[in-house]
Short mmCIF file of all heavy atoms in Angstrom, two decimals:
data_model
loop_
_atom_site.label_atom_id
_atom_site.label_comp_id
_atom_site.label_asym_id
_atom_site.label_seq_id
_atom_site.Cartn_x
_atom_site.Cartn_y
_atom_site.Cartn_z
N PHE W 237 -14.51 12.72 -8.70
CA PHE W 237 -15.09 12.30 -9.96
C PHE W 237 -15.12 13.39 -10.89
O PHE W 237 -15.64 13.33 -12.03
CB PHE W 237 -16.54 11.71 -9.69
CG PHE W 237 -16.38 10.36 -8.97
CD1 PHE W 237 -16.31 10.37 -7.51
CD2 PHE W 237 -16.34 9.22 -9.67
CE1 PHE W 237 -16.19 9.04 -6.87
CE2 PHE W 237 -16.21 7.97 -8.99
CZ PHE W 237 -16.11 7.90 -7.65
N LYS W 263 -11.45 6.03 -8.58
CA LYS W 263 -12.31 4.84 -8.45
C LYS W 263 -13.47 4.89 -9.47
O LYS W 263 -14.06 5.99 -9.50
CB LYS W 263 -12.85 4.79 -7.02
CG LYS W 263 -13.82 3.68 -6.91
CD LYS W 263 -14.38 3.52 -5.47
CE LYS W 263 -15.58 2.58 -5.46
NZ LYS W 263 -15.34 1.40 -6.23
N PRO W 264 -13.82 3.85 -10.12
CA PRO W 264 -15.00 3.93 -10.94
C PRO W 264 -16.28 3.77 -10.12
O PRO W 264 -16.32 2.97 -9.22
CB PRO W 264 -14.88 2.77 -11.94
CG PRO W 264 -13.87 1.78 -11.24
CD PRO W 264 -13.08 2.58 -10.35
N LEU W 265 -17.30 4.59 -10.50
CA LEU W 265 -18.57 4.45 -9.80
C LEU W 265 -19.49 3.53 -10.72
O LEU W 265 -19.77 3.96 -11.85
CB LEU W 265 -19.21 5.90 -9.68
CG LEU W 265 -20.40 6.04 -8.81
CD1 LEU W 265 -20.55 7.63 -8.54
CD2 LEU W 265 -21.68 5.49 -9.40
N THR W 266 -19.87 2.46 -10.29
CA THR W 266 -20.55 1.41 -11.12
C THR W 266 -21.80 0.83 -10.61
O THR W 266 -22.46 0.06 -11.15
CB THR W 266 -19.63 0.27 -11.46
OG1 THR W 266 -19.13 -0.36 -10.26
CG2 THR W 266 -18.43 0.66 -12.30
N LYS W 267 -22.25 1.34 -9.34
CA LYS W 267 -23.33 0.70 -8.75
C LYS W 267 -24.32 1.75 -8.22
O LYS W 267 -23.91 2.80 -7.76
CB LYS W 267 -23.01 -0.23 -7.47
CG LYS W 267 -21.78 -1.02 -7.74
CD LYS W 267 -22.15 -2.50 -7.72
CE LYS W 267 -21.07 -3.54 -8.05
NZ LYS W 267 -19.75 -3.00 -8.43
N THR W 268 -25.61 1.48 -8.23
CA THR W 268 -26.64 2.49 -7.74
C THR W 268 -26.45 2.88 -6.23
O THR W 268 -26.45 4.04 -5.94
CB THR W 268 -28.10 1.92 -7.87
OG1 THR W 268 -28.16 1.41 -9.20
CG2 THR W 268 -29.12 3.03 -7.75
N TYR W 269 -26.11 1.87 -5.44
CA TYR W 269 -26.04 2.17 -4.02
C TYR W 269 -24.88 3.18 -3.77
O TYR W 269 -24.86 3.88 -2.79
CB TYR W 269 -25.87 0.90 -3.07
CG TYR W 269 -24.45 0.28 -3.06
CD1 TYR W 269 -23.46 0.83 -2.25
CD2 TYR W 269 -24.18 -0.65 -4.01
CE1 TYR W 269 -22.16 0.26 -2.24
CE2 TYR W 269 -22.83 -1.25 -4.03
CZ TYR W 269 -21.86 -0.82 -3.15
OH TYR W 269 -20.65 -1.27 -3.09
N GLN W 270 -23.82 3.19 -4.68
CA GLN W 270 -22.74 4.06 -4.48
C GLN W 270 -23.15 5.54 -4.51
O GLN W 270 -22.35 6.49 -4.13
CB GLN W 270 -21.65 3.73 -5.48
CG GLN W 270 -21.02 2.31 -5.25
CD GLN W 270 -20.09 1.94 -6.39
OE1 GLN W 270 -20.20 2.37 -7.51
NE2 GLN W 270 -19.05 1.14 -6.02
N LEU W 271 -24.25 5.83 -5.22
CA LEU W 271 -24.61 7.23 -5.38
C LEU W 271 -24.89 7.88 -4.04
O LEU W 271 -24.58 9.12 -3.85
CB LEU W 271 -25.98 7.27 -6.10
CG LEU W 271 -25.90 6.85 -7.58
CD1 LEU W 271 -27.33 6.90 -8.21
CD2 LEU W 271 -24.98 7.84 -8.34
N SER W 272 -25.31 7.13 -2.97
CA SER W 272 -25.34 7.66 -1.66
C SER W 272 -24.21 7.25 -0.78
O SER W 272 -23.66 8.02 0.06
CB SER W 272 -26.67 7.38 -0.97
OG SER W 272 -26.87 5.98 -0.93
N ILE W 274 -20.90 6.71 -1.48
CA ILE W 274 -19.70 7.30 -1.74
C ILE W 274 -19.63 8.72 -1.18
O ILE W 274 -18.66 9.07 -0.33
CB ILE W 274 -19.24 7.31 -3.27
CG1 ILE W 274 -18.85 5.91 -3.68
CG2 ILE W 274 -18.14 8.31 -3.49
CD1 ILE W 274 -18.39 5.73 -5.10
N PRO W 275 -20.70 9.53 -1.38
CA PRO W 275 -20.62 10.85 -0.68
C PRO W 275 -20.70 10.71 0.87
O PRO W 275 -20.07 11.41 1.59
CB PRO W 275 -21.94 11.52 -1.15
CG PRO W 275 -22.24 10.87 -2.46
CD PRO W 275 -21.78 9.44 -2.30
N LEU W 282 -20.65 14.11 -6.15
CA LEU W 282 -20.62 13.36 -7.51
C LEU W 282 -21.23 14.29 -8.56
O LEU W 282 -22.34 14.93 -8.35
CB LEU W 282 -21.55 12.09 -7.40
CG LEU W 282 -21.06 11.09 -6.41
CD1 LEU W 282 -22.08 9.89 -6.25
CD2 LEU W 282 -19.66 10.51 -6.70
N PRO W 283 -20.53 14.36 -9.65
CA PRO W 283 -21.06 15.35 -10.73
C PRO W 283 -22.54 14.84 -11.13
O PRO W 283 -22.77 13.74 -11.28
CB PRO W 283 -20.06 15.16 -11.79
CG PRO W 283 -18.95 14.50 -11.29
CD PRO W 283 -19.37 13.64 -10.07
N LEU W 286 -22.84 12.31 -14.18
CA LEU W 286 -22.56 10.95 -13.82
C LEU W 286 -23.59 10.37 -12.96
O LEU W 286 -24.09 9.27 -13.26
CB LEU W 286 -21.13 10.94 -13.16
CG LEU W 286 -20.68 9.58 -12.59
CD1 LEU W 286 -20.59 8.48 -13.68
CD2 LEU W 286 -19.47 9.71 -11.77
N ALA W 287 -23.97 11.06 -11.93
CA ALA W 287 -24.95 10.49 -10.96
C ALA W 287 -26.29 10.35 -11.69
O ALA W 287 -26.87 9.25 -11.38
CB ALA W 287 -25.13 11.48 -9.81
N ILE W 290 -26.04 7.16 -13.98
CA ILE W 290 -26.08 5.86 -13.27
C ILE W 290 -27.44 5.66 -12.69
O ILE W 290 -27.96 4.48 -12.71
CB ILE W 290 -25.02 5.96 -12.07
CG1 ILE W 290 -23.57 6.03 -12.55
CG2 ILE W 290 -25.20 4.73 -11.13
CD1 ILE W 290 -22.90 4.81 -13.14
N ALA W 291 -28.04 6.67 -12.12
CA ALA W 291 -29.45 6.47 -11.68
C ALA W 291 -30.46 6.05 -12.74
O ALA W 291 -31.36 5.24 -12.37
CB ALA W 291 -29.90 7.84 -10.98
N ARG W 299 -24.73 0.30 -16.11
CA ARG W 299 -24.12 1.15 -15.08
C ARG W 299 -22.64 1.00 -15.16
O ARG W 299 -21.88 1.90 -15.06
CB ARG W 299 -24.60 0.69 -13.68
CG ARG W 299 -26.00 1.37 -13.36
CD ARG W 299 -26.37 1.03 -11.89
NE ARG W 299 -26.83 -0.35 -11.78
CZ ARG W 299 -28.10 -0.67 -12.00
NH1 ARG W 299 -29.04 0.18 -12.41
NH2 ARG W 299 -28.51 -2.05 -11.89
N THR W 300 -22.17 -0.21 -15.18
CA THR W 300 -20.71 -0.55 -15.26
C THR W 300 -20.09 0.25 -16.46
O THR W 300 -18.94 0.86 -16.28
CB THR W 300 -20.43 -2.04 -15.35
OG1 THR W 300 -21.06 -2.64 -14.24
CG2 THR W 300 -18.92 -2.33 -15.30
N GLN W 301 -20.79 0.19 -17.58
CA GLN W 301 -20.17 0.73 -18.78
C GLN W 301 -20.05 2.26 -18.62
O GLN W 301 -19.00 2.91 -18.83
CB GLN W 301 -21.11 0.46 -19.99
CG GLN W 301 -20.58 0.81 -21.35
CD GLN W 301 -19.26 0.10 -21.64
OE1 GLN W 301 -19.06 -0.97 -21.17
NE2 GLN W 301 -18.39 0.76 -22.37
N ILE W 302 -21.10 2.94 -17.96
CA ILE W 302 -21.10 4.36 -17.77
C ILE W 302 -20.01 4.74 -16.82
O ILE W 302 -19.21 5.73 -17.09
CB ILE W 302 -22.50 4.79 -17.16
CG1 ILE W 302 -23.59 4.67 -18.25
CG2 ILE W 302 -22.36 6.32 -16.72
CD1 ILE W 302 -24.94 4.69 -17.67
N GLY W 303 -19.86 4.04 -15.68
CA GLY W 303 -18.86 4.39 -14.70
C GLY W 303 -17.47 4.21 -15.24
O GLY W 303 -16.56 4.98 -14.97
N MET W 304 -17.32 3.11 -16.09
CA MET W 304 -15.99 2.82 -16.63
C MET W 304 -15.59 3.91 -17.63
O MET W 304 -14.43 4.42 -17.56
CB MET W 304 -16.10 1.49 -17.36
CG MET W 304 -14.85 0.69 -17.43
SD MET W 304 -15.19 -0.96 -17.94
CE MET W 304 -15.68 -0.62 -19.65
N TRP W 306 -16.64 6.91 -17.68
CA TRP W 306 -16.32 8.17 -17.00
C TRP W 306 -14.90 8.12 -16.41
O TRP W 306 -14.14 9.10 -16.55
CB TRP W 306 -17.30 8.30 -15.85
CG TRP W 306 -17.31 9.59 -15.21
CD1 TRP W 306 -16.37 10.04 -14.12
CD2 TRP W 306 -18.06 10.81 -15.43
NE1 TRP W 306 -16.54 11.28 -13.70
CE2 TRP W 306 -17.50 11.79 -14.55
CE3 TRP W 306 -19.03 11.09 -16.37
CZ2 TRP W 306 -18.14 13.15 -14.53
CZ3 TRP W 306 -19.56 12.42 -16.38
CH2 TRP W 306 -19.13 13.34 -15.48
N CYS W 307 -14.53 6.98 -15.86
CA CYS W 307 -13.17 6.91 -15.33
C CYS W 307 -12.09 6.93 -16.33
O CYS W 307 -11.00 7.51 -16.14
CB CYS W 307 -13.08 5.61 -14.39
SG CYS W 307 -11.65 5.56 -13.34
N GLN W 310 -11.67 10.56 -17.25
CA GLN W 310 -10.97 11.18 -16.15
C GLN W 310 -9.45 10.88 -16.23
O GLN W 310 -8.63 11.76 -16.17
CB GLN W 310 -11.42 10.70 -14.82
CG GLN W 310 -12.51 11.53 -14.17
CD GLN W 310 -12.69 11.15 -12.73
OE1 GLN W 310 -13.24 10.07 -12.28
NE2 GLN W 310 -12.16 12.00 -11.81
N ASP W 329 -13.27 -4.09 -7.41
CA ASP W 329 -13.72 -3.82 -8.84
C ASP W 329 -12.57 -4.04 -9.75
O ASP W 329 -12.46 -3.49 -10.87
CB ASP W 329 -14.05 -2.34 -8.93
CG ASP W 329 -15.55 -2.22 -9.26
OD1 ASP W 329 -16.20 -3.23 -9.64
OD2 ASP W 329 -16.11 -1.03 -9.06
N VAL W 332 -13.06 -4.33 -13.72
CA VAL W 332 -13.40 -3.00 -14.24
C VAL W 332 -12.05 -2.15 -14.36
O VAL W 332 -11.88 -1.49 -15.35
CB VAL W 332 -14.47 -2.18 -13.45
CG1 VAL W 332 -14.73 -0.86 -13.98
CG2 VAL W 332 -15.72 -3.04 -13.41
N ILE W 336 -10.32 -0.39 -17.67
CA ILE W 336 -9.93 1.03 -17.74
C ILE W 336 -8.52 1.18 -18.05
O ILE W 336 -8.16 1.98 -19.01
CB ILE W 336 -10.20 1.71 -16.33
CG1 ILE W 336 -11.74 1.73 -16.05
CG2 ILE W 336 -9.61 3.14 -16.33
CD1 ILE W 336 -12.16 2.04 -14.67
#
Side-chain angles (χ1 to χ4, degrees):
F237 291 86
K263 172 180 168 47
L265 190 167
T266 55
K267 315 246 174 356
T268 311
Y269 79 85
Q270 292 172 330
L271 291 176
S272 57
I274 288 180
L282 299 176
L286 172 64
I290 295 280
R299 276 187 285 276
T300 303
Q301 191 60 30
I302 291 164
M304 210 169 67
W306 188 275
C307 193
Q310 269 195 283
D329 247 345
V332 176
I336 292 166

